[in-house]
Amino acid sequence: MHCTKCKSKAALKLPRHNAAFCKSCFNEFVQDQVVKAVKSQRMFGHEHRILVAVSGGKDSLALWDILLKLGYKADALYVNLGIAGYSDRSHDNVRRFADTVAAAHGATLHTHTVQQTEGAGIRELAMAVHRPACSTCGTIKRYQFNQAAVEHDYDVMATGHNLDDEAARLLGNVLHWQEEYLDKQSPSLPASVEGFAKKVKPLYRLTERELAAYCVLNKIDYIVDECPMAQGARTLLYKDVLNRLETESPGTKQMFYWKFLDKQSKASAPLSDMATKDQAMLHPCAACGQPTTGEICSYCKLMARAKRDVPHSQTAET
Ligand code: AMP
Ligand code: FES
Ligand code: ZN
């Protein structure tokens, strides 16, 4: 098998592009896809300060690496969720990357530790408030991402969501006809309120498999296991279904999601109008000041419940 571009020995085959690449042409392909995503969705420029949310997994570490190599000003935030066994290992991978590759580019890693600030790990907090771990985790991560971006004055918050993530999310939203979510499923969302960071997903043109290959070829160590609390999640089923379709018919995943984006960009109400409409409904949370539609934001409600219900020894005083 030979590289489609330079004809040297190929390292991997990409059926959806009907191509095969050697390491260096594959790296170029990956960078090209990110540049296309950033430009076509007007995500950010070289003058902006970007905060990459890194989990220790392949996608977000690859994203940090790619943005630094493309010359962007990209720091990162890691949220240590306090999940026994899993969080320590993912933290090690993030630290290793931050101390080597990122440090060589002069980039900084910020770390938020849930056990310290929220008083207990995600598992214990979720049990205390009787909510699924993933939704408790989502509320805390979203809040801490916003908080860190405001505190350290970042313009843009970037996450490692890839084509598989976005296609699976789209499938879920379509199956349940969740129009409100469909309207907002964009790889580039304007800041919900002035002063907050805009949210972008620069990897939406690359698949999970391509990002894993990128990490392996570039010797980026990442945590392979899924979060132990995510197992059985509906998203994994949607990904599996889409992978089966992709095997039968390469290119299905990208066609499904990219055509949706095409149609969305031609829709009557552009996302910027929707953001203005959203802003009108948002006001500062009475407890913490982050934007919310109610009086108290979901993070503050969660923390109030956790304070009441988590045994006192585990709860952080604020
Ligand atoms: P997931 O929802 O686990 O698929 O993660 C989606 C994206 O959210 C990742 O690619 C990261 O950018 C970000 N993310 C997930 N978990 C963390 C974490 N613990 N700390 C920082 N960022 C995270
Ligand atoms: Fe949030 Fe697992 S990553 S519960
Ligand atoms: Zn609040």
Side-chain angles (χ1 to χ4, degrees):
M1 185 170 69
H2 290 105
C3 173
T4 314
K5 260 174 137 178
C6 73
K7 310 294 173 216
S8 67
K9 192 166 174 270
L12 94 166
K13 223 170 143 180
L14 293 188
R16 75 183 176 110
H17 287 282
N18 200 14
F21 291 123
C22 68
K23 178 183 164 184
S24 116
C25 293
F26 177 67
N27 281 343
E28 240 173 68
F29 159 82
V30 168
Q31 288 195 355
D32 276 359
Q33 294 301 317
V34 172
V35 169
K36 273 192 186 132
V38 170
K39 294 224 162 108
S40 67
Q41 298 286 327
R42 298 195 184 86
M43 291 183 179
F44 45 75
H46 280 91
E47 70 281 19
H48 292 120
R49 296 186 69 232
I50 305 162
L51 185 63
V52 183
V54 289
S55 63
K58 61 187 181 324
D59 308 308
S60 49
L61 284 177
L63 175 60
W64 198 9
D65 187 70
I66 297 161
L67 293 181
L68 289 173
K69 285 181 178 155
L70 287 170
Y72 288 107
K73 287 183 234 164
D75 291 337
L77 169 68
Y78 170 71
V79 177
N80 186 318
L81 300 162
I83 302 171
Y86 176 77
S87 294
D88 290 342
R89 280 187 294 135
S90 58
H91 201 165
D92 282 347
N93 289 317
V94 173
R95 250 195 236 110
R96 202 172 308 122
F97 185 87
D99 292 344
T100 53
V101 182
H105 283 86
T108 305
L109 171 69
H110 304 278
T111 301
H112 173 87
T113 307
V114 170
Q115 266 164 331
Q116 257 168 34
T117 311
E118 279 80 13
I122 290 293
R123 196 188 290 271
E124 296 74 22
L125 286 170
M127 279 199 309
V129 298
H130 307 291
R131 273 182 49 188
C134 284
S135 81
T136 307
C137 172
T139 302
I140 292 178
K141 279 195 298 204
R142 246 186 330 273
Y143 181 87
Q144 295 303 345
F145 290 167
N146 279 336
Q147 192 69 8
V150 170
E151 193 181 325
H152 302 286
D153 209 15
Y154 287 98
D155 304 298
V156 185
M157 178 90 215
T159 51
H161 293 94
N162 56 41
L163 179 57
D164 298 61
D165 296 324
E166 294 309 291
R169 192 164 154 215
L170 178 59
L171 182 59
N173 287 339
V174 169
L175 287 175
H176 298 101
W177 283 116
Q178 286 173 306
E179 288 178 48
E180 199 193 318
Y181 292 151
L182 277 171
D183 284 346
K184 288 192 194 144
Q185 201 188 334
S186 164
S188 182
L189 283 174
S192 54
V193 163
E194 213 171 294
F196 277 78
K198 132 181 222 189
K199 298 201 170 105
V200 300
K201 299 173 180 173
L203 300 182
Y204 80 87
R205 299 179 62 94
L206 291 157
T207 64
E208 234 161 68
R209 177 178 165 263
E210 287 154 10
L211 290 157
Y214 181 86
C215 287
V216 172
L217 289 172
N218 292 285
K219 302 196 168 44
I220 299 172
D221 282 339
Y222 62 90
I223 184 152
V224 178
D225 309 341
E226 287 282 344
C227 164
M229 281 179 296
Q231 270 163 19
R234 186 91 355 161
T235 318
L236 297 181
L237 173 64
Y238 296 152
K239 282 188 180 174
D240 187 40
V241 168
L242 287 165
N243 278 335
R244 278 153 61 188
L245 290 169
E246 183 75 22
T247 309
E248 286 297 318
S249 174
T252 302
K253 242 184 267 178
Q254 73 184 43
M255 191 165 68
F256 181 50
Y257 184 54
W258 296 1
K259 292 250 166 167
F260 162 75
L261 291 181
D262 257 9
K263 293 206 182 301
Q264 194 188 49
S265 69
K266 290 175 195 135
S268 48
L271 280 166
S272 52
D273 287 3
M274 270 186 248
T276 315
K277 221 168 94 197
D278 277 0
Q279 280 188 16
M281 288 171 12
L282 293 170
H283 49 258
C285 162
C288 72
Q290 276 208 17
T292 175
T293 48
E295 197 201 336
I296 305 280
C297 75
S298 50
Y299 173 84
C300 288
K301 277 190 205 148
L302 180 94
M303 289 321 297
R305 261 183 93 175
K307 269 221 172 116
R308 214 178 47 213
D309 299 342
V310 173
H312 223 67
S313 56
Q314 288 186 316
T315 318
E317 294 300 326
T318 48

